[in-house]
Amino acid sequence: MENKIQEIKKEALTELENANDLKSLEAVKNKYLSRNSEFNNLKKGMKDLAPEQKPVIGALINKVWNELENLINEKNDIFYKKELKEKLLKEKIDITLNGNYIPMGHVHPLTQTVNEITEIFQNLGFSLAKPKNSPEVELEKYNFDLLNVPKEHPARDVQDTFYCDNLENVVLRSQTSNAQARTMMNTKPPIKIISPGRVYRNENVSARKNNLFHQIEGLYVDKNVTMAQLKGVLNEFIRLYFGQARPTRYRSSFFPFTEPSVEIDVQCIMCQGKGCSVCSGTGWLEILGAGMVDPNVLEAVGIDSSVYSGFAFGMGVERLAMLKYAIDDIRLFFNNDERFLKQF
Ligand code: DAH
């Protein structure tokens, strides 16, 4: 038995000597000091020894076991440190290298335009209408009835309104003018608000038209509000928005909720007024409708039209952005093509 122990020890020492990394060291450890090792089997065989031999052999096995274990641990320590050092050297990080480029997102050009226009009107003393006064899913009452557009009026068709199939009198609003009706219903004059938002129309989609677009509604109601003030405010808006005087023209027009009504055109930026496909050859692009609030509208919402007057306007956000940045297709705003978006 003693011989066997010495033999195993010798063998183990030779293998230990030859082990030159953590992996081979681990193999030696498994071979000699694990539960299934030959050495351990010797321990198990001790029960068959003569009683006086048991303590002697037991002590010897323990001694050799401890010796081997210490040697393995020592070597393990050395190999571990060596391999760690090599690994650290190999994995050295060069912090001066360029990082991976992660592009920053930014605000969509339409949102930028809305923000810019909102700021201009806020500086002119207008405040933002309450969101609850500007719902996108709307009753016909606010989208049409209170705005002096009776049931059989062709304007309901002109705006190609989307009606809800299963809810009577409910529409996707065709204009932000619903905010006028709602605000006047629950606010006492003086009222001086703007209200940006989405509107929906059943259009044939083209370079100039989309089913969904954005408008900014404006409303000023007070004593002695005049058409001259309307012109002053809108001219100032155009000057501030385009950053320079742009050829502009007022055309008389008709809206059921204003009397008199006007439309404002700005010279087409694409052709400088010569006429192109974007402006249908006219050289002009309409940017907004406006007028003096019809007394019928004031009365319908409970405002005394003999005391108060007002002006209102509604402008197309996409149109204004297209004119400013020379964008020739409204669909670009909605396609989420990065090549387009990242220019803004
Ligand atoms: N709501 C009209 C449209 O979508 C635009 C408009 C015209 C708004 C005149 C107004 C206004 O507030 O006074 O075509």
Side-chain angles (χ1 to χ4, degrees):
M1 187 83 162
E2 246 178 85
N3 285 349
K4 182 77 185 162
I5 295 170
Q6 293 302 348
E7 211 176 283
I8 294 177
K9 181 182 170 186
K10 219 174 119 199
E11 211 180 292
L13 286 177
T14 319
E15 285 188 33
L16 201 55
E17 190 72 25
N18 292 338
N20 50 10
D21 58 14
L22 280 176
K23 208 167 150 210
S24 44
L25 196 64
E26 183 73 17
V28 176
K29 189 174 177 181
N30 280 339
K31 186 165 168 194
Y32 293 97
L33 299 186
S34 71
R35 280 218 271 146
N36 297 325
S37 66
E38 212 181 335
F39 213 18
N40 211 34
N41 288 341
L42 286 182
K43 268 190 188 175
K44 287 183 203 155
M46 280 196 26
K47 64 180 185 316
D48 303 326
L49 291 175
E52 70 278 8
Q53 272 209 306
K54 278 188 185 172
V56 185
I57 297 295
L60 183 62
I61 290 181
N62 279 344
K63 187 171 157 256
V64 174
W65 184 285
N66 287 340
E67 257 174 55
L68 284 178
E69 201 169 41
N70 285 342
L71 283 172
I72 289 175
N73 285 346
E74 257 171 48
K75 270 198 128 174
N76 188 74
D77 221 30
I78 296 168
F79 288 156
Y80 176 77
K81 284 186 183 143
K82 184 167 153 252
E83 287 185 20
L84 183 68
K85 200 168 159 193
E86 280 167 8
K87 198 169 160 200
L88 286 177
L89 277 174
K90 209 164 62 198
E91 289 178 1
K92 202 161 75 174
I93 296 168
D94 182 353
I95 55 165
T96 64
L97 277 178
N98 286 336
N100 289 340
Y101 172 62
I102 301 170
M104 279 261 276
H106 65 76
V107 176
H108 189 279
L110 282 180
T111 312
Q112 285 184 36
T113 306
V114 169
N115 291 347
E116 202 180 329
I117 296 172
T118 301
E119 197 182 323
I120 291 174
F121 280 106
Q122 282 177 330
N123 287 339
L124 292 172
F126 288 76
S127 47
L128 273 175
K130 296 194 183 90
K132 69 162 187 171
N133 284 336
S134 182
E136 286 175 33
V137 180
E138 183 56 292
L139 293 171
E140 277 189 273
K141 176 179 162 191
Y142 297 99
N143 196 77
F144 292 127
D145 299 346
L146 287 171
L147 295 169
N148 201 29
V149 189
K151 286 266 181 298
E152 70 290 353
H153 198 285
R156 297 199 186 205
D157 291 337
V158 169
Q159 294 193 347
D160 292 314
T161 313
F162 284 114
Y163 285 81
C164 286
D165 277 345
N166 44 3
L167 289 171
E168 220 184 316
N169 302 327
V170 176
V171 297
L172 293 184
R173 69 166 169 195
S174 59
Q175 50 186 356
T176 45
S177 306
N178 66 332
Q180 281 191 38
R182 283 185 177 269
T183 304
M184 286 191 285
M185 290 284 274
N186 57 32
T187 322
K188 281 202 168 63
I191 297 168
K192 203 173 180 190
I193 52 113
I194 54 162
S195 182
R198 297 188 197 123
V199 301
Y200 302 85
R201 291 186 195 178
N202 187 14
E203 306 272 15
N204 286 328
V205 176
S206 69
R208 284 151 52 93
K209 288 189 169 161
N210 200 43
N211 290 148
L212 155 72
F213 58 101
H214 297 74
Q215 289 186 331
I216 296 183
E217 193 77 12
L219 174 70
Y220 178 30
V221 179
D222 203 349
K223 290 175 182 154
N224 305 319
V225 175
T226 67
M227 186 88 180
Q229 288 170 332
L230 170 65
K231 273 192 87 173
V233 164
L234 292 179
N235 284 347
E236 185 63 358
F237 160 70
I238 291 166
R239 192 181 70 79
L240 290 169
Y241 177 71
F242 288 107
Q244 66 191 64
R246 273 196 147 262
T248 303
R249 69 179 187 188
Y250 283 67
R251 254 184 312 108
S252 82
S253 182
F254 171 78
F255 298 102
F257 28 90
T258 44
E259 182 60 37
S261 304
V262 290
E263 280 175 293
I264 299 184
D265 299 338
V266 170
Q267 192 184 64
C268 179
I269 193 176
M270 257 51 89
C271 61
Q272 306 299 332
K274 289 186 198 73
C276 65
S277 61
V278 177
C279 59
S280 304
T282 62
W284 297 94
L285 280 169
E286 180 211 327
I287 57 163
L288 61 83
M292 300 306 292
V293 180
D294 193 302
N296 285 342
V297 173
L298 294 176
E299 294 297 333
V301 294
I303 293 177
D304 187 344
S305 65
S306 65
V307 180
Y308 293 102
S309 56
F311 68 67
F313 55 86
M315 56 184 68
V317 177
E318 283 79 359
R319 271 292 163 80
L320 284 160
M322 288 166 87
L323 271 173
K324 186 157 172 174
Y325 302 111
I327 298 165
D328 61 4
D329 194 324
I330 192 171
R331 290 167 292 196
L332 286 166
F333 290 116
F334 302 98
N335 290 345
N336 280 336
D337 186 332
E338 256 201 34
R339 289 167 303 180
F340 170 72
L341 293 176
K342 74 181 177 199
Q343 297 174 59
F344 296 88

